[in-house]
Amino acid sequence: MGQKVNPISFRLGNLYTWNSLWYANQKNFKKILLEDIALKKFLMQKLKLAGIIGVKIERSINKIKIVPQVTRPGIVIGRGGSGLEELKKLLSKMVSIPEPEKNLEISPEEVKNPDLSATFVAQRIAEQIEKRMPHRYIIKKAIEKSMSSGAKGVKIALSGRINGAEIARHEKFSQGKIPLQTLRAKIDYAEIPALTRSGYVGVKVWVYQGD
């Protein structure tokens, strides 16, 4: 039986840091954790057009800094900062800090090379599978783009009723190398569901960005 671990959590503290940076006592921990999950879920849905791949949250005593990692920050900011102000109003209702409009900070971070992000690659594959495009063609193109952008290796796995097949199956595609046991190896990982008419198809992506 294979022992599997998320490549990012396996490297926490050594290569990566946590996406939520804060401290809470036993009384407030549950409340803040659920608030973080709700904020991330909302932003991942709201900023889909901006090409969001992740959200970082930093909390101090009465302040919150939210950093959406997006491929198109102009869509988040909007004309003259109007988009950012509207987003701040929506998020102010979701956070439990005094004077949220004053103590909440949103600063979008641009992702320079999205084809090296496992989340971006997985999102794009899932969207195309939902549109009933041929999965082998999609994956071949995704791997080519990532490798040409500077990735040292890419692995993609699909599980479920691929192409609406009667029996669910598991397919793997890879190019280059993916040293999962090497802690210094910078490996980005993401898993995204493709919700097709036939059912749920899981998409997993590993991108080796170098040491």
Side-chain angles (χ1 to χ4, degrees), residues 42-182:
F42 173 78
L43 286 168
M44 291 300 283
Q45 197 63 41
K46 180 77 177 171
L47 303 179
K48 215 171 183 179
L49 289 173
I52 187 165
I53 63 159
V55 181
K56 290 180 182 177
I57 299 173
E58 295 173 22
R59 292 174 184 261
S60 55
I61 298 166
N62 285 323
K63 290 188 177 181
I64 300 179
K65 185 182 178 183
I66 298 173
V67 183
Q69 296 170 297
V70 292
T71 56
R72 296 187 289 275
I75 294 173
V76 183
I77 296 162
R79 192 173 290 174
S82 59
L84 213 56
E85 284 175 25
E86 188 189 333
L87 188 62
K88 195 172 183 178
K89 282 178 185 175
L90 292 168
L91 293 176
S92 295
K93 296 170 186 175
M94 298 175 71
V95 296
S96 56
I97 53 168
E99 299 181 52
E101 291 194 6
K102 183 184 172 185
N103 294 323
L104 174 66
E105 185 189 341
I106 304 166
S107 54
E109 184 183 287
E110 186 181 1
V111 178
K112 299 285 184 188
N113 201 341
D115 288 308
L116 289 178
S117 164
T119 306
F120 182 80
V121 174
Q123 281 173 348
R124 195 165 52 191
I125 291 169
E127 282 169 14
Q128 290 172 326
I129 286 172
E130 285 170 3
K131 290 174 184 172
R132 294 181 159 192
M133 289 177 72
H135 71 285
R136 284 191 178 90
Y137 172 78
I138 295 164
I139 287 164
K140 188 185 173 186
K141 285 287 179 189
I143 290 173
E144 279 176 10
K145 276 190 173 183
S146 292
M147 294 299 284
S148 63
S149 294
K152 301 283 181 72
V154 183
K155 183 167 85 169
I156 297 168
L158 298 183
S159 297
R161 291 181 62 186
I162 303 162
N163 283 354
E166 287 294 317
I167 298 169
R169 66 182 189 273
H170 183 79
E171 286 191 28
K172 282 183 186 176
F173 307 83
S174 63
Q175 191 175 322
K177 57 179 183 175
I178 308 285
L180 294 174
Q181 297 299 315
T182 311

